Amino acid sequence: MAGRNFEKFVDLASKIVAVGKNYADHIKEMGYAAATAATKAEPVIFMKPTSAFITQGQKIVFPPGCKNLHHEVELGIVIGKQARRVPENEAMQYVAGYTVALDMTARDQQEKAKKEGLPWTLPKGFDTSCPVGPFIRADQLVDPHNVQIWCKVNGKLRQDGTTKDMIFSVPYLISYISRYITLFPGDVILTGTPAGVSAVVAGDVIEAGVGDLSQISFEVARNDEQQ
Amino acid sequence: MAGRNFEKFVDLASKIVAVGKNYADHIKEMGYAAATAATKAEPVIFMKPTSAFITQGQKIVFPPGCKNLHHEVELGIVIGKQARRVPENEAMQYVAGYTVALDMTARDQQEKAKKEGLPWTLPKGFDTSCPVGPFIRADQLVDPHNVQIWCKVNGKLRQDGTTKDMIFSVPYLISYISRYITLFPGDVILTGTPAGVSAVVAGDVIEAGVGDLSQISFEVARNDEQQ
Ligand SMILES: [Mg+2]
Ligand SMILES: [Mg+2]
Ligand SMILES: [Mg+2]
């Protein structure tokens, strides 16, 4: 992984692969049967384009037609080297580091897509739908399966989970995804969100973090700023 | 659009945005109600990662678990400059050119995803799922809405359509997608497939083309080559 500047993973990334339903308490709040999650074999995989990234100072903008925009705080994995059909027991070698990410979701549009059997691309992949924080080196988070992950809206705690509760682990996800889709240096995997997702409105400030390693803050644009 | 080498759009591209259900005859063969397509407002949008691209000489590989792999020949639009919230009447200015593309689809896995309200990412986005041909300059295809689009398997004609039958036009699609997702130079939009999609098996050769402008040929890897 030498020679790459992973501080700039947002510029390096060729894709964002995301995982749905990876925390049992969030699965419950979304009304899914817990049993479907317990079948530890097939994670739910979707994508956001890299045009969805925003970084500190940029604002989250509602996509056209969305009336119900949700925050989902997630631990993001930053891939360190090309990963294709990687065995689970070697997968951690492909991790350059991590980031705090928000998987912003047009929940109303996603629910409609689910009902109609249609793709999640627009509800999940619209511009500004992936606010991310700075790069966290792998050696700063030695155990990615034992860290607090939290999200506040206007100072009020909404999500307070721990990565201990992930159903599919970091190496399992890398191994599983890389069976289908080759991952490249800088690519980001969003590992799913714990319970507590909720709607935000124009002017809200979302703060989120992973333990005491990294904290991010993003504002939701006001209607008159929505350009 | 000066200064960019669109011959190498595969390397330039940051994403592949694809359109489902854009030809009435294909909608019918897939068993959808024609009425849903006639509502000319909301195209079905999904994505493939750029890791899905293959070019002449590379082989199409079945993704893990897939037993029913389909070809879909499509006209691909290659974007020429950054497109964000582009009005339909200006959208053609954002087209650098076109390509012949195959939207390879793990139909069994896509059908399962549809039934369960899950994303189409793996059934549509696996490695080798987007074979493409050479770049066709915009001035070589002055009317993209009046060209034959065809696909043969082992020499037998399977798809024989015309882009006249597209429900959503090239400028409409650019305008619609760019309301949600910013497009960058080299990005590819797959515009949907006409009727005649069918299953391929290991060793099959798929040929496809757009009028007499471009013709591609890709082989489906044999089982013993599936690395
Ligand atoms: Mg999420
Ligand atoms: Mg790139
Ligand atoms: Mg298609």
Side-chain angles (χ1 to χ4, degrees):
Chain A
M1 303 183 212
R4 305 241 181 213
N5 184 359
F6 290 106
E7 307 289 330
K8 299 195 173 180
F9 69 87
V10 164
D11 299 328
L12 279 179
S14 71
K15 56 182 160 292
I16 305 164
V17 181
V19 179
K21 307 203 262 183
N22 202 23
Y23 287 79
D25 55 355
H26 172 63
I27 292 167
K28 207 171 154 187
E29 77 179 346
M30 294 297 290
Y32 289 112
T36 62
T39 57
K40 179 154 177 152
E42 298 282 330
V44 172
I45 303 298
F46 60 96
M47 277 185 65
K48 293 176 184 258
T50 54
S51 40
F53 278 132
I54 57 171
T55 55
Q56 202 68 39
Q58 294 182 281
K59 291 184 181 180
I60 297 162
V61 177
F62 274 67
C66 172
K67 306 281 181 226
N68 188 24
L69 182 64
H70 275 202
H71 58 80
E72 300 187 353
V73 62
E74 315 212 352
L75 178 68
I77 306 166
V78 179
I79 294 295
K81 56 183 182 179
Q82 185 174 325
R84 182 165 175 275
R85 303 190 183 179
V86 170
E88 187 175 352
N89 65 2
E90 295 173 14
M92 292 305 290
Q93 299 167 25
Y94 293 79
V95 177
Y98 303 93
T99 191
V100 184
L102 293 170
D103 170 16
M104 298 304 301
T105 303
R107 191 72 72 199
D108 45 354
Q109 297 173 340
Q110 186 202 21
E111 291 301 327
K112 185 166 180 285
K114 281 182 188 175
K115 274 199 199 91
E116 297 177 359
L118 293 176
W120 298 6
T121 301
L122 297 182
K124 285 286 196 180
F126 59 91
D127 287 356
T128 79
S129 65
C130 195
V132 290
F135 178 65
I136 301 167
R137 292 191 321 272
D139 65 8
Q140 295 174 281
L141 183 57
V142 176
D143 184 0
H145 306 106
N146 186 16
V147 67
Q148 187 204 10
I149 180 165
W150 59 269
C151 182
K152 291 179 185 179
V153 178
N154 302 331
K156 190 170 170 183
L157 193 65
R158 295 287 187 182
Q159 296 188 267
D160 185 17
T162 162
T163 58
K164 279 183 192 170
D165 294 335
M166 278 188 189
I167 295 167
F168 300 103
S169 70
V170 169
Y172 186 89
L173 291 171
I174 293 170
S175 177
Y176 180 82
I177 294 165
S178 76
R179 293 173 63 197
Y180 296 87
I181 293 178
T182 300
L183 300 166
F184 294 104
D187 285 0
V188 172
I189 298 173
L190 305 182
T191 57
T193 200
V197 301
S198 71
V200 291
V201 297
D204 280 352
V205 175
I206 308 175
E207 292 167 283
V210 168
D212 54 10
L213 282 173
S214 185
Q215 181 167 337
I216 60 176
S217 175
F218 286 89
E219 196 177 329
V220 181
R222 293 181 190 281
N223 293 326
D224 55 7
E225 296 171 332
Q226 302 240 345
Q227 287 309 312
Chain B
M1 302 185 212
R4 306 240 182 214
N5 184 358
F6 291 106
E7 306 290 331
K8 298 195 173 180
F9 70 87
V10 164
D11 299 327
L12 279 178
S14 70
K15 57 184 160 293
I16 305 164
V17 181
V19 179
K21 306 204 264 184
N22 202 25
Y23 287 79
D25 55 354
H26 173 62
I27 293 167
K28 207 170 155 190
E29 77 179 347
M30 293 298 290
Y32 289 113
T36 60
T39 57
K40 180 152 176 153
E42 299 281 332
V44 171
I45 303 298
F46 60 96
M47 277 184 65
K48 292 175 184 258
T50 54
S51 41
F53 278 131
I54 56 171
T55 55
Q56 202 68 38
Q58 295 182 281
K59 291 184 183 182
I60 297 163
V61 177
F62 274 67
C66 172
K67 304 280 182 228
N68 189 21
L69 181 64
H70 276 201
H71 58 80
E72 300 187 352
V73 62
E74 316 214 348
L75 178 68
I77 306 166
V78 178
I79 294 295
K81 55 183 184 181
Q82 185 174 324
R84 183 166 175 273
R85 303 190 182 180
V86 170
E88 187 176 350
N89 65 2
E90 294 174 13
M92 291 306 289
Q93 298 166 26
Y94 293 79
V95 177
Y98 303 92
T99 192
V100 184
L102 293 171
D103 170 15
M104 297 305 300
T105 303
R107 191 72 72 201
D108 46 353
Q109 297 172 340
Q110 185 202 21
E111 291 301 326
K112 186 167 181 284
K114 282 181 187 176
K115 274 199 198 90
E116 297 176 358
L118 293 176
W120 298 7
T121 301
L122 296 183
K124 284 287 197 180
F126 59 90
D127 288 355
T128 79
S129 65
C130 194
V132 290
F135 178 64
I136 301 167
R137 293 190 322 273
D139 64 7
Q140 294 174 280
L141 183 58
V142 175
D143 185 359
H145 306 105
N146 185 14
V147 68
Q148 188 204 8
I149 180 167
W150 59 270
C151 182
K152 290 179 186 178
V153 178
N154 301 330
K156 190 170 169 184
L157 193 65
R158 294 288 188 183
Q159 296 189 267
D160 185 17
T162 163
T163 59
K164 279 184 190 170
D165 293 335
M166 278 187 187
I167 295 167
F168 300 104
S169 70
V170 168
Y172 186 89
L173 290 172
I174 294 170
S175 177
Y176 180 81
I177 294 164
S178 76
R179 292 173 64 198
Y180 296 87
I181 292 178
T182 300
L183 299 166
F184 294 105
D187 285 0
V188 172
I189 299 174
L190 303 183
T191 57
T193 200
V197 302
S198 71
V200 291
V201 297
D204 281 351
V205 174
I206 307 175
E207 293 167 281
V210 168
D212 53 10
L213 283 173
S214 186
Q215 182 168 337
I216 60 177
S217 175
F218 286 89
E219 198 178 327
V220 182
R222 292 180 191 280
N223 293 325
D224 55 7
E225 296 170 333
Q226 303 239 347
Q227 287 310 312

